[in-house]
Amino acid sequence: MNWDDDTTGTEAADRLVGPAADGEDQAVEAALRPKDLGEFIGQEKVREQLDLVLRAARARGATADHVLLSGAPGLGKTTLSMIIAAEMGAPIRITSGPAIQHAGDLAAILSSLQEGEVLFLDEIHRMSRPAEEMLYMAMEDFRVDVIVGKGPGATAIPLELPPFTLVGATTRAGLLPPPLRDRFGFTAHMEFYGPAELERVVHRSAGLLDVEIDPAGAAEIAGRSRGTPRIANRLLRRVRDYAQVKADGLITQEIAAAALAVYEVDARGLDRLDRGVLEALLKLFGGGPVGLSTLAVAVGEERETVEEVAEPFLVREGLLARTPRGRVATPAAWAHLGLTPPRAQGSGNGQQDLFGA
Ligand SMILES: Nc1ncnc2c1ncn2[C@@H]1O[C@H](COP(=O)(O)OP(=O)(O)O)[C@@H](O)[C@H]1O
Ligand SMILES: [Mg+2]
């Protein structure tokens, strides 16, 4: 649940493909953010629906409905929240669930909003319970009860709020209590990006960073980006460094592949941690099943790091399965690491085919 945290773990801090973001990352990210819906690549459905919501609100001269954005880290939730504000010509206030410890913190923010302002609440599933309850009323009635005093003498003073648009972001919509989920007028689920979309992201970012790249170079980076624009942008920057130091600056397929080999991001986008987990599973435990804790100890990582940083991608790629008896490697995992499963499962039955290119 620490997906968007800057502190997922010391190891995570220098990972190219992990969720951690360092200072440089944030500065470059801001520079690379699409500024309006037209510039936003992919997510066709979400874009079309959001466009309608915002256009209709503008036509009515009203404040847009509350919007919930759910999806994995790096898919563009923060970017979309800023686009919503820009499209509505409204200012934006940015905060996050963990930053709101007390209901009072939220009351202070809500009561200082301007009419029509967008309030972006990142990691909304990590807000405290009392703050959450205050938010229900604010979203529905544009009103909060400010509690003055303590104990039996405490009184609730109702406070009117100007209409505002709440944009909530979460990596897991399923974690939101239904009453909160139901108060959003529009919910958008962001999907992972396809290779063609990621290539467009890479080309667009390269243009903004003034980096020369050919189509095969962009495809190579896109293919290792795990369906995630943030990762595509990160890999592009590291490949750019390599191209500048080791070549003439132009990013080709060869340069991209060589650079990402240096950074230990393999052809499928697995990094050192992912490969470490798979290797332990295959070499030490014969492909499993093995318990998460045991597996974590074997790779010298925290349980949470293995479970929340490495596994989601490995599962999504069909390399690892979480079963009631423990973690199990799939045939594709053996093929990807170039290893043979201990018990021959009928030789020559086309293991290569499972893995494809
Ligand atoms: N659809 C998109 N088109 C172009 N760039 C994108 C897109 N989605 C995300 N990005 C880029 O990826 C980076 C991470 O996006 P961000 O909005 O911070 O993700 P999230 O908030 O979901 O973690 C940003 O630098 C942004 O420019
Ligand atoms: Mg974000």
Side-chain angles (χ1 to χ4, degrees):
M1 275 169 247
N2 288 335
W3 276 123
D4 278 350
D5 255 356
D6 287 354
T7 51
T8 311
T10 43
E11 185 63 27
D14 63 0
R15 294 182 78 231
L16 265 183
V17 298
D22 58 23
E24 184 206 354
D25 223 42
Q26 285 167 9
V28 179
E29 251 175 29
L32 295 180
R33 282 214 158 92
K35 303 275 185 287
D36 56 43
L37 275 181
E39 255 189 89
F40 196 80
I41 294 164
Q43 310 286 346
E44 302 299 338
K45 264 278 156 284
V46 168
R47 253 184 27 216
E48 186 186 348
Q49 294 165 347
L50 196 56
D51 186 48
L52 284 173
V53 170
L54 299 181
R55 267 175 206 272
R58 276 201 308 261
R60 290 194 301 267
T63 299
D65 236 340
H66 305 305
V67 177
L68 179 65
L69 305 171
S70 74
L75 298 188
K77 298 181 297 297
T78 300
T79 304
L80 263 191
S81 76
M82 293 175 174
I83 289 177
I84 290 170
E87 297 268 346
M88 293 305 290
I92 182 168
R93 184 87 55 95
I94 298 179
T95 185
S96 72
I100 297 173
Q101 295 290 336
H102 310 285
D105 300 339
L106 183 63
I109 294 170
L110 290 170
S111 59
S112 66
L113 290 175
Q114 301 173 35
E115 178 160 354
E117 190 159 356
V118 171
L119 174 62
F120 178 53
L121 233 170
D122 209 356
E123 295 185 80
I124 191 168
H125 59 276
R126 293 177 65 194
M127 207 171 27
S128 75
R129 221 30 231 275
E132 212 171 80
E133 267 153 29
M134 172 178 279
L135 193 59
Y136 295 162
M137 204 204 272
M139 290 172 78
E140 204 155 74
D141 304 329
F142 297 106
R143 194 165 63 85
V144 289
D145 279 338
V146 181
I147 310 292
V148 180
K150 275 200 160 92
T155 42
I157 302 179
L159 185 68
E160 296 284 324
L161 302 174
F164 65 95
T165 299
L166 177 71
V167 179
T170 179
T171 46
R172 315 199 187 167
L175 289 182
L176 287 193
L180 179 55
R181 232 178 332 167
D182 294 346
R183 281 171 169 80
F184 287 96
F186 173 62
T187 300
H189 181 71
M190 324 258 309
E191 302 287 347
F192 287 97
Y193 293 65
E197 292 164 346
L198 288 171
E199 279 174 48
R200 285 169 58 202
V201 170
V202 170
H203 276 300
R204 176 179 175 276
S205 299
L208 291 170
L209 295 172
D210 218 358
V211 176
E212 259 196 294
I213 186 164
D214 70 16
E220 189 63 39
I221 294 174
R224 299 185 187 214
S225 299
R226 303 167 166 242
T228 308
R230 173 177 292 140
I231 295 174
N233 286 340
R234 271 190 208 162
L235 298 187
L236 171 65
R237 277 148 50 208
R238 296 291 74 82
V239 173
R240 170 203 55 190
D241 294 349
Y242 183 96
Q244 277 170 0
V245 174
K246 302 270 191 184
D248 59 0
L250 172 69
I251 298 176
T252 61
Q253 191 263 326
E254 290 76 21
I255 293 287
L260 292 174
V262 171
Y263 292 108
E264 302 184 281
V265 176
D266 76 15
R268 208 160 166 175
L270 276 69
D271 71 357
R272 196 157 41 87
L273 173 65
D274 306 318
R275 292 181 68 92
V277 169
L278 271 196
E279 237 156 349
L281 181 56
L282 300 184
K283 290 185 179 166
L284 301 178
F285 305 108
V290 62
L292 172 62
S293 303
T294 310
L295 188 58
V297 169
V299 289
E301 286 289 347
E302 300 286 331
R303 234 180 103 94
E304 287 73 26
T305 307
V306 172
E307 185 174 28
E308 292 171 18
V309 180
E311 283 189 352
F313 177 66
L314 296 175
V315 169
R316 185 154 63 83
E317 283 288 290
L319 296 169
L320 178 145
R322 291 167 170 164
T323 74
R325 290 188 306 140
R327 273 50 179 175
V328 177
T330 65
W334 293 96
H336 185 62
L337 291 194
L339 297 169
T340 316
R343 281 158 280 121
Q345 303 163 339
S347 54
N349 63 351
Q351 279 235 339
Q352 312 298 50
D353 296 350
L354 284 166
F355 173 46

